[in-house]
Amino acid sequence: GGDGGAAGGLAGSVLVDGSSTVAPLSKAAADIYREEEPKVNITVGTSGTGGGFEKFCKGETDVSNASRPIKDSEKAACAAANIGYTELVVANDALTVVVNKANTWAECLTTAQLKKVWDQGSKVRSWKEVDPSFPDQRLDLFGPGTDSGTFDFFTAAVNGKEDRSRADYTASENDNVLVQGVAGSTGGLGYFGFTYFEENADKLKAVKVDGGGGCVAPSVAAAQDGSYRPLSRPLYIYVSNQAMASKPQVLSFVEFYAGHIDEIVEEARYVPLTAAQKAELGAALDKAKG
Amino acid sequence: MGDLQEGLDMISIASDRPTVRIAAPGADRTDRADRAGHAAAAGPAGSADGPGAPPAVVELAGVSVFYSGYEAVRETSMPIRQHRVTALIGPSGCGKSTILRTMNRMNDLIPGARVTGRVSYRGQDLYAPEVDPIEVRRRIGMVFQKPNPFPKSIYDNVAYGPRVTGMKVGSMDDHVEQALRGAALWDEVKGKLRSNGLALSGGQQQRLCIARTIAVRPEVILMDEPCSALDPIATGRIEELMHELAQHYTIVIVTHNMQQAARVSHYTAFFTAEVDADGVRHGKLVELNDTGKLFTDPDDKRTEDYITGRFG
Amino acid sequence: MGDLQEGLDMISIASDRPTVRIAAPGADRTDRADRAGHAAAAGPAGSADGPGAPPAVVELAGVSVFYSGYEAVRETSMPIRQHRVTALIGPSGCGKSTILRTMNRMNDLIPGARVTGRVSYRGQDLYAPEVDPIEVRRRIGMVFQKPNPFPKSIYDNVAYGPRVTGMKVGSMDDHVEQALRGAALWDEVKGKLRSNGLALSGGQQQRLCIARTIAVRPEVILMDEPCSALDPIATGRIEELMHELAQHYTIVIVTHNMQQAARVSHYTAFFTAEVDADGVRHGKLVELNDTGKLFTDPDDKRTEDYITGRFG
Amino acid sequence: MSLRRGRRRPGERVIEALLVAAAAVSVATTIGIVVALVEPTVEFFAEVGVVEFLTGDRWTPTLDPRSYGVLPLLTSTVISTFIAVAIAIPLGLGSAIYLAEYASPRTRRALKPLLEVLAGIPTVVYGFFALFALNSVLRGIWPGSDQPDFQNILVASIVMGIMIVPTVASLSEDAMTAVPESLRAGAYALASSKMQVAVRVVLPAAVSGIVASFVLGLSRAIGETMIVTIAGGLSSDHIELNPLRAAATMTAFIANIGQGDVPVDSLDYRSIFAVGSLLFGFTFALNALSIRLVRRFREVYE
Amino acid sequence: MTPAVLAAPAPSDPEVALTRRRVRVGETLFRLVLLACLVVAFAFLAWLIAFAVYRGWDRLDARLWQNMPTGRVSRIEGAGVQSAITGTLWVIGTTALICLPIGILAAIYLEEYADNERWYNRLLELNIQNLAGVPSIIFGILGLGVIARALGLGFTVLTAALILALLVLPIVIIATREAIRAVPQSIRQASYALGATRWQTVSRQVLPIAVPGIATGSILALSRAIGEAAPLIMLGAVTYITFNPDGLDSAYTVLPVQIYSLVIEAQAGFQRLGAAAIVLLLGLLLLMNSLAIVVRNRFQKRW
Ligand SMILES: Nc1ncnc2c1ncn2[C@@H]1O[C@H](COP(=O)(O)OP(=O)(O)OP(=O)(O)O)[C@@H](O)[C@H]1O
Ligand SMILES: Nc1ncnc2c1ncn2[C@@H]1O[C@H](COP(=O)(O)OP(=O)(O)OP(=O)(O)O)[C@@H](O)[C@H]1O
Ligand SMILES: [Mg+2]
Ligand SMILES: [Mg+2]
């Protein structure tokens, strides 16, 4: 750590670690912040949400990126080490269900259909079994690893319980593999973050999701207004209260983060916060500052 | 072709076997002159081919050997006579080993080595393009200074040659036995043919290498200081063995030890290294002669100097 | 210990220098007996200490050497006399090198080697706990079978010993020159002291090793077959050098070559390997005697057998 | 003229102490590894039975229903190692024989270090190469229903095999060059052809070194992480015997959980230490075995 | 001269023709197969390099090492990996400073000092052989639990260097032992016989001769370390850092980790940057291996 000074004169380090899904946001934030406070050294690590919290709750980092809310065991660890924290929602993500470009039949899937496919013990092997109107095309499934926050969120949202899923799908921590997988197999079906779909929109087709309120295509607007249900989710950062109090550069960075959140989200290609979320963000930060 | 088995079992000593004894050359003079009496004296060019001399099996004519351009041995001509022991002596670096290696194309294996002139075996040019060096080595075997048995069993060491050359042998066991008998090693190892060749003593290892060599039934055996790593007792055994082998094989031996040359050979070739006009040293054959004559009454002054320099 | 400088520059030959000539032992009998005449005949236990013999510098008493439990040499007692050359001969594996190494604790370097009995140097037990083997080796130097110069310049090879032992020498250049003169190498290398010692010929390398050894001014020089890798000319030079060195140093030489032992030594110890009741071979000193006597009229039957086995 | 230690030699003692300390670092490393593994492993086995762990055929610590049978990971590790070694040994040994017995010294000096580059290439690079370059070729060769998965054990193993080639080649070549020239000369003098010299004399004489190189290659394959993580896949819910399918090896599992979102203070996370301990024990056993093996060959041939 | 053919029959084969009897097809085939092995290995190397160069082609310029990484998608074109390059140099430099002295000293102990009849020395030897086979990811576990946490060194250059140093230590030790063992025993004997102490013998005779072998082994060990990502990822590697390390306690990232994080990004621009960084890393590696060749050839003693 180090001492800060007036605006533009801060120095010292800000240590950010945690989820690799949220990392692009913090990286973008750091990148923009750097132009304002060039002497503050910010590092962003990608130990995963769990690894990030472990370090965070040991006081080894100042900010923890998280693709899911903090768990009880992690709360306990933080409490044990007397680390107070502030949870901030910094962006939204729309988990996107994608199929192959050549897939002409699946325009929209209901959550029930998704559950039928993805549920634990599911034996669905053909598109025909998903919906009798679909052709008898082999179904190839792609999704993130079972240890990821994305998986946790999707299984909770679709199958009703976290970690409840069929296991016989191609899992990868590298979303590019999932992109390639779906793009390369006619009967492919997969899910991952909206960004990866956007970057590869020419190779993939996004499926509309019907969560009970009709078919909605994933989009920034749909994710923001809550109509893309149930697959839109918030992304978090957790900030150490102690760090904010003792390291002015941490507070400065987090304030900057909150203050420039639209620009940051845009640079990281995520779904921006709604006005209400932004207000919440400001309020949470104010509360943390006391 | 003599029957190998018969030869190998023969223990009695042939009449022309040189006496195995060390003695000041003077004392031995008559004995020696008598023994190899039919071989005429050789001139410096080494053409010891008087009437009655056995035919040459290998013949060098104007042979020079180069190591990447350096002429290690210059213009050497000499015959190697059948069923005789020819010794090559001379100071270190005069090219004895080099010349020996030209005779079975072992110098093919030295990068940069080149031979000019003609080396012939029974009239055929050993370095002709159509000649297969592997065939050459099948007929002209070699034993080295340091015993170098393979890290295999004694049996496999001896059987190696027949196996790789695809030799037709009735029973390999018999064949191995004969070869070991031929090398006077059979009695010492017959109980442990399966044990490792490296477990033998130095002298036994060297005899194993000889057994291994005769197992492929070569016509000529080249030996490069075969006893220099051995103690006197082991040396004595190998020397004795050489005499027996000479009945069936043509032998060329390089040695540093003049007594040894005197003891075992019929002919001796003396090499030396001479500095030419450019200051470069080249090996050269000075004199090839009947052994008795060379050690007692050499034709060349340089031979005499070398020998007396040692013999006092 | 004689003044090194004086000794190194001395070229004239002392009166008791043995004649450097090879000869059948018989022919040399009187000469030899005369030369080392004052040394009394030694019994099998090797206590050649008649009146008038020079004092023993090193003395072995009941020395046995074990290699991880195997008793390679058994109960050997012998004196090494000042300014004399003592030769150790015997068949391979009889423990000559082993005994030699006990004299300067080189066997400390062999894992598992153990010495019992007493080896003393000027009355001090070499194996006493307070003795520093490094001090021992400074006083009792060693020359090996294969010339082993360091891959450094000739100068550095010679200067190495004085440097590591922290010897006080006036001028290192002079000291190196003296040592090289002492090893009869100076004239051949004086122009190229900075060139690599490995670039010398085998014989020169061996003399370099001797120069290196005398540069630390030892009192005793142990030589293990110092000529066996050399040609006769180089051998002759080293043998001659040994005689000169014997005026100032006490020398022990192991050799396979009986002629060499006869030529260079005052005393000869004959070792042999004998199989004991359990079938294990142990080296044993058979006879230590005046060299002339040992080769012409040995006290022990086994010595005679060994010698005549070779000499005819 | 005393032979007692004239000068004290404290320097020698200090140096020796220093050397011992340096050698002790490796012991400390092993102790450190054991310490790092033991506590969480013990905690893991407080909740999961050893028998279940060793015999269960479903490994789903982050998936409902939880199951902690390590056999799927073990199987994929064994299969991938086997394939990698099956590629590396012939290629490596062939290269070694060529370099040691056929190539000129100059060629050897140039080619060997170049070959060693293969051993130094970051495994991350190999991983992406396997995934994006080699796999497209493989999938092109096998179109149709048994087309390889997007991540599969085969592609990861092939690339691992290539990575190990220099390990095998370099050490085997060293062993063969160390075979004394006199043995070759002896064999040539017995009218052997070049191949006979190489195969019947040099190879057997170098066997202990060659076996050692195999073992080292083997342990590199077992321990390789990034290639299998990137290109091999993650699934471990059943024992997968088909190398064309995606499957997680022990190392891939550890690396994935290690950077995943699982809470650290959980059984899910602690499972990596159990797998880590197994992996450590596995390589330990393998090394012990290999040392035996090498020693046995050495006894025969030296 | 008597014609050779008239000579008495040879004791060997009566047939004296020396020309090739058998056409040795096997020989040629064998040689070709061997060559093919080598060719396959090199073909993969070439393919791999071509693959990386092709993918990273338009990012292979000065930006790569002049610029820092970015977190902004709009700035991808201006991004580089300078901090990863300097981080790699720091980490590898420190690794070398730690593992080379320790490795060389340990090897000296084992070769020149240790009495290998003793059980503890044999155990030591076994332990080193065994460590050489321990997966790198296990070293990551060690690093996280013991070095970073228990020893409190945190997530710094020093921690990374320590992990990598311990990882390649057995390689350095084994290579150094090989090099020391290759020094002829006669050199040691000569030195001892002149009254040199053990350390004098080792430091003045053995080590200078062993230098080329030690250097080659060390360079190869370090090039292994340079490419290691698994243990550092286990440690939780930093993937965004816009300053160069300035000390052992500094945060850092290294090229393999940076490459890994770049290649899994969604944007093609990041992936291309990653590919270019791969080429850079390969170049660095080739450089180190060439250095090994030069050292090996320059200092190799003709014995
Ligand atoms: N492989 C080689 N490459 C280059 N030069 C060589 C080679 N072998 C021998 N020479 C040189 O050729 C000359 C003759 O060497 P050769 O070994 O034939 O001598 P020699 O008479 O056998 O000596 P020695 O008695 O020492 O064995 C020497 O100058 C030697 O240095
Ligand atoms: N380092 C060693 N370890 C174990 N045994 C040894 C060692 N050195 C020698 N020996 C054994 O001790 C005995 C005596 O060996 P030594 O080398 O002293 O004989 P030597 O008389 O010098 O023989 P050579 O004439 O062959 O040199 C032999 O049986 C030998 O095998
Ligand atoms: Mg020679
Ligand atoms: Mg000896």
Side-chain angles (χ1 to χ4, degrees), chain C residues 264-280:
Chain C
V264 301
S265 73
H266 303 85
Y267 303 103
T268 298
F270 170 63
F271 286 76
T272 193
E274 279 174 5
V275 179
D276 70 5
D278 313 338
V280 186

Side-chain angles (χ1 to χ4, degrees), chain A residues 17 24 27-28 30-32 34-35 41-47 54-55 58 60 174 176 195-196 199 267 269, chain E residues 68-75 149 155 235-243 251 263-268 271:
Chain A
D17 205 334
K27 288 180 187 178
D31 226 36
I32 304 169
R34 196 157 67 95
E35 287 172 359
N41 289 333
I42 302 177
T43 58
V44 182
T46 46
S47 304
E54 188 196 18
K55 288 179 178 173
K58 285 190 155 78
E60 292 165 350
N174 179 356
N176 291 319
T195 324
Y196 282 86
E199 288 297 328
E267 280 290 10
R269 302 286 190 264
Chain E
M68 287 292 175
T70 188
R72 279 182 275 181
V73 173
S74 63
R75 302 283 173 91
R149 297 255 160 76
F155 302 86
L235 201 60
V238 166
T239 53
Y240 173 86
I241 177 168
T242 54
F243 55 92
V263 174
I264 63 175
E265 291 274 6
Q267 287 77 21
Q271 293 167 18

Side-chain angles (χ1 to χ4, degrees), chain B residues 57-59 80 100-106 119-122 124 126 133-143 213 216-223 249-252, chain D residues 188-191, chain E residues 12 18:
Chain B
V57 176
V58 176
E59 176 105 42
I80 302 296
L100 199 70
R101 283 195 297 262
T102 59
M103 297 185 202
N104 71 340
R105 294 192 56 174
M106 283 300 278
V119 184
S120 55
Y121 164 72
R122 298 195 168 280
Q124 295 170 79
L126 280 186
I134 293 167
E135 288 298 317
V136 173
R137 297 187 200 120
R138 213 170 61 66
R139 295 195 176 71
I140 307 178
M142 193 165 200
V143 175
T213 303
V216 290
R217 303 195 181 174
E219 189 172 354
V220 182
I221 302 177
L222 311 176
M223 299 185 170
Y249 301 96
T250 303
I251 295 178
V252 187
Chain D
Y188 279 121
L190 290 173
Chain E
S12 63
L18 296 174

Side-chain angles (χ1 to χ4, degrees), chain C residues 92-93 95-98 101 145 224-225 254 256:
Chain C
S92 200
K96 304 179 294 296
S97 304
T98 300
R101 283 195 296 262
Q145 176 166 7
D224 194 351
E225 306 191 33
V254 168
H256 262 150

